[in-house]
Amino acid sequence: MALRRRLTGEEQRMKTWQIIGLVAATGLGVSAGIWWFLKRHLAKRNADADSGDAAAEGEAETQAKPKTKPSRRVVDDEVSPRPATGHLLGVDELDPELRAKLDERFPDGWPPTDEVIDNLEPKDVLVVAVQSDPNGPFERTQVELMEVTVLEVGEETVETRIRPAVMLAEHFGTFAGHGHRAGERLTVPRDKILVAARESGEQATGYGSKGHPEGRLKPDLTAVYKVNPETPYDLIMPYRTDEMVWTTNRENVKFMRVGEHGLNEQIMFCEDAARGSVTLRAIDNDPEMGKVLIGRWNFEISA
């Protein structure tokens, strides 16, 4: 993808102030505002509507197989739920109430100018609006404001990754879902960017600091969990020890331990982690018994 020319350091410093709504020191300024508004907006619309077994580190490898099996139930094609789809909205397509709320939330101005978009960097945050498409029996549409993280800035579009948490991806009741889920890549045309923000100051750390977990995954020798980079997941630990260490079968797969809460170990694979299959193990370096397997998880990291 062809990239626009990066401005010089001095030009960037002069333009940086134009980036709208710098995120608060906790890193949750944009999220908190959007989450608060979205709950209020949805409430109004709805009111108007109707352990794996312990073993040594050198355990024999078992060929991983999908954990879930397809349903055998036959469903009529005319009433079966079809995949949820949605489309991004530009400023002129937003309803007046939503525009007014964005004016209130971001009084310094939105959407960002071309100069601001040119100066976006990886990890910067954008806000976009996605509207679900009518889908079979799900005739009613809904709009969700989503945050996405910048990956790469192009001539006409910006490559991004959707941040947790996404509320309206799935069909619900008579409302259609939009199908966009946390952790997935999303190509955003420049004219669909509503807000641009840059995280500043000290970022929050610990369990939950990267958003709501997209799944709680049990240790399993054969199950394969499909996961996305930069997306938190909770691993359910059988137990913990003071000598516990984590290992992977591939050195180029980078991940971070976000934090722990009880027996939930929250992890996140990094954007620059190698894609594909990886096995993660929690090992107890017992001083008397040697290395004892606490749990093992098999992942397939998507693009």
Side-chain angles (χ1 to χ4, degrees), residues 22-37:
L22 289 178
V23 182
T26 60
L28 299 176
V30 173
S31 300
I34 294 303
W35 184 259
W36 172 86
F37 166 71

Side-chain angles (χ1 to χ4, degrees), residues 65 160 180 187 213 221 244 278 294:
K65 299 180 180 179
T160 70
H180 295 288
T187 300
L221 298 180
M244 187 175 69
V278 63
I294 297 176

Side-chain angles (χ1 to χ4, degrees), residues 29-47 89 94-95 97-98 101-102 105-106 127-132 141-147 162-169 178 180 194 212:
V30 173
S31 300
I34 294 303
W35 184 259
W36 172 86
F37 166 71
L38 188 56
K39 290 206 303 185
R40 291 281 300 273
H41 192 62
L42 287 176
K44 182 177 183 304
R45 292 197 56 175
N46 290 337
L89 300 178
L94 302 179
D95 63 59
E97 181 184 3
L98 181 53
K101 289 297 184 181
L102 287 171
R105 181 69 183 89
F106 304 102
V127 176
V128 298
V130 59
Q131 178 172 310
S132 58
T141 65
Q142 50 193 344
V143 175
E144 178 170 6
L145 295 177
M146 296 192 311
E147 293 180 28
I162 301 173
R163 290 161 58 110
V166 176
M167 296 177 62
L168 308 178
H178 54 64
H180 295 288
L194 303 183
H212 297 281

Side-chain angles (χ1 to χ4, degrees), residues 243-259:
E243 294 80 21
M244 187 175 69
V245 296
W246 293 84
T247 66
T248 64
N249 64 338
R250 295 173 61 193
E251 294 183 357
N252 57 348
V253 177
K254 299 180 181 179
F255 74 98
M256 64 176 295
R257 297 172 63 189
V258 179

Side-chain angles (χ1 to χ4, degrees), residues 164-165 207-208 210-216 231-234 266:
Y207 183 89
K210 303 301 181 182
H212 297 281
E214 287 301 301
R216 300 183 69 243
T231 306
Y233 297 89
D234 277 1
Q266 195 165 101

